[in-house]
Amino acid sequence: MDRCIVLVDAGYLLGAAASLLAGEPSRSRITVDHTALIQGLRDRAESDTERPLLRIYWFDGAPDRVPQPEHRRLRVMPRVTVRLGALTRSDGRWAQKGVDAAMHAELTELARNRACSDVVLVTGDGDLLPGMMAAKEHGVAVHLWAVQAADGDYNQSEDLVAEADERRVLDRAWITKAVRAKELGGVCAAPPVPRPEIAAILSAPLPESALAAAAAPSADEAQAAPHTEPAPGGANGTGERIPAAKGVPTPKDLAALRGPGAPVGKDHTNATLRWSSDKGWVERPPGAAEGPEAAALPTLAQLTTAEQRWADREEDITTVGGDPYEVGQVFARRWMARLPEQHNLQKLSTMYPRIPHRIDGELLRYAARFGLLAHKDDQIDEHDRYAIRAGFWREIDVRTAAEHASVGD
């Protein structure tokens, strides 16, 4: 078949890019625009091989082979197939397991079935040499691409380089179209701007009562640090002592941001972000620590039929990218669409700024399916939790605003 296929070893591509741009192979040192990267690979492959692209195979490792948010974004892109191996930690370092074997199997199978005339390999591992040789024996032209090495030397197996039909180097100019080094004390690319819904909660001023509560040390803290630093100067000039306030407000502090009668909505100064005061992982009996209004609200599981559950899973796999904000939006849309009585939506809005515990727990468990766990005590990163709940409440705001507009008309 006169078409090309690209097989990408993501560990090699992104690790080499990190070495080139940030000076070390850690992928945490770079940010990647996956849309631009995939488009760049497609354009370059079609130009070099003079064949239309059939598909890009993206091989990567993941803890327990659970797709991470980047994998979910990639696998819903056109002409992209994601294959995951295991990611294990040994001696303080992460290592991929099974990725090379998966690439070898895919390469030989594609060549045997004559699925393409040209294969582009983005890898440096010599373990793929037998697969490359087998592909050539089946009449497939093998193009080997390297990422420009940080030290100007080879970062690929010499045997692999010698066996390839064509060789190309993805230089710094090509790499930086989709990859940037994170800022770390040097002049690097600016970090991405956070969503305003998430940033607002961290910058919003707290009322004095909430600040006092946040600043007051616990008994344990008081024992561990009995002395406090004097203020630069008190109102009476005596330099009164005050404890340092905690940096991030607690959910209880956030609830105090909205006084009685304050309007609901993310655009108001005091209504920065609604979120639960509970972690949401433990189920509680109906009505425990919450009023009957919250206990009466149905969960998404109670509103979902077996057929809808199957369709939801299909949508999660094929169209939901896994961004925390998007995950919250998807959950909220399903919950609102299946409410038999729309007055429940108004009930939820009046509970601002807290999400009922059962619904919040269900929301976080749903988010965990998308690889958002931090792999430490099975908790979701705090910033991701802000984003998940921000997406959820954004959808609630849009729906309630639309209903109010229709009533006004």
Side-chain angles (χ1 to χ4, degrees), residues 121-398:
L121 295 178
V122 186
T123 186
D125 199 325
D127 290 345
L128 210 59
L129 182 61
M132 178 187 285
M133 297 171 66
K136 291 174 65 176
E137 290 171 0
H138 284 91
V140 174
V142 180
H143 304 249
L144 182 65
W145 290 359
V147 176
Q148 179 182 339
D151 56 5
D153 201 356
Y154 283 116
N155 54 14
Q156 292 177 304
S157 161
E158 290 189 19
D159 292 335
L160 208 62
V161 172
E163 191 67 28
D165 293 307
E166 301 285 347
R167 291 171 291 279
R168 295 287 185 273
V169 175
L170 304 176
D171 59 16
R172 180 186 293 268
W174 189 92
I175 292 293
T176 52
K177 292 178 181 177
V179 183
R180 295 286 186 273
K182 289 182 179 177
E183 184 177 0
L184 191 63
V187 181
C188 300
V193 178
R195 295 180 185 273
E197 295 89 347
I198 304 168
I201 194 171
L202 299 177
S203 61
L206 291 175
E208 291 188 10
S209 59
L211 282 172
S218 64
D220 293 339
E221 290 171 336
Q223 277 190 335
H227 301 292
T228 54
E229 294 297 325
N236 56 5
T238 60
E240 59 180 301
R241 296 173 182 269
I242 58 170
K246 298 176 182 177
V248 178
T250 67
K252 185 176 180 180
D253 300 331
L254 301 174
L257 290 175
R258 178 177 184 259
V264 174
K266 71 178 185 62
D267 293 320
H268 295 288
T269 303
N270 290 333
T272 54
L273 178 63
R274 308 173 215 173
W275 70 317
S276 170
S277 62
D278 301 303
K279 288 184 178 179
W281 287 99
V282 181
E283 288 286 357
R284 292 182 177 181
E290 290 185 327
E293 293 270 321
L297 287 174
T299 63
L300 180 60
Q302 293 171 333
L303 298 171
T304 303
T305 65
E307 293 78 8
Q308 288 173 327
R309 190 173 296 111
W310 185 90
D312 290 348
R313 192 61 175 164
E314 186 76 9
E315 182 184 11
D316 291 343
I317 293 171
T318 58
T319 63
V320 180
D323 174 79
Y325 190 85
E326 178 193 15
V327 167
Q329 289 180 302
V330 171
F331 184 94
R333 281 197 295 268
R334 290 175 183 168
W335 187 80
M336 289 187 293
R338 294 167 193 172
L339 280 176
E341 301 173 351
Q342 292 302 309
H343 71 272
N344 283 321
L345 186 58
Q346 300 303 323
K347 280 185 187 177
L348 182 63
S349 294
T350 61
M351 295 175 191
Y352 170 84
R354 304 175 65 160
I355 303 175
H357 185 278
R358 292 190 306 145
I359 295 175
D360 185 59
E362 189 179 37
L363 170 62
L364 294 181
R365 286 192 294 274
Y366 170 67
R369 299 180 192 172
F370 294 88
L372 294 173
L373 290 176
H375 299 286
K376 181 180 180 182
D377 302 324
D378 288 335
Q379 293 294 314
I380 295 178
D381 178 77
E382 185 72 11
H383 184 274
D384 287 345
R385 279 188 277 166
Y386 278 117
I388 291 163
R389 287 154 174 156
F392 176 88
W393 281 109
R394 173 60 179 166
E395 288 300 304
I396 300 295
D397 283 342
V398 169

Side-chain angles (χ1 to χ4, degrees), residues 85-136:
L87 191 63
T88 59
R89 193 171 181 84
S90 176
D91 297 328
R93 300 185 65 181
W94 290 100
Q96 295 183 160
K97 299 293 183 183
V99 172
D100 296 332
M103 287 188 71
H104 177 276
E106 198 75 56
L107 175 59
T108 53
E109 191 69 13
L110 291 168
R112 184 182 300 114
N113 292 325
R114 301 187 182 279
C116 60
S117 61
D118 296 74
V119 168
V120 174
L121 295 178
V122 186
T123 186
D125 199 325
D127 290 345
L128 210 59
L129 182 61
M132 178 187 285
M133 297 171 66
K136 291 174 65 176

Side-chain angles (χ1 to χ4, degrees), residues 6-10 13 41 56-60 103 120-122:
V6 181
L7 275 64
V8 180
D9 179 349
L13 173 60
L41 289 169
I56 294 175
Y57 288 89
W58 185 273
F59 295 86
D60 203 2
M103 287 188 71
V120 174
L121 295 178
V122 186

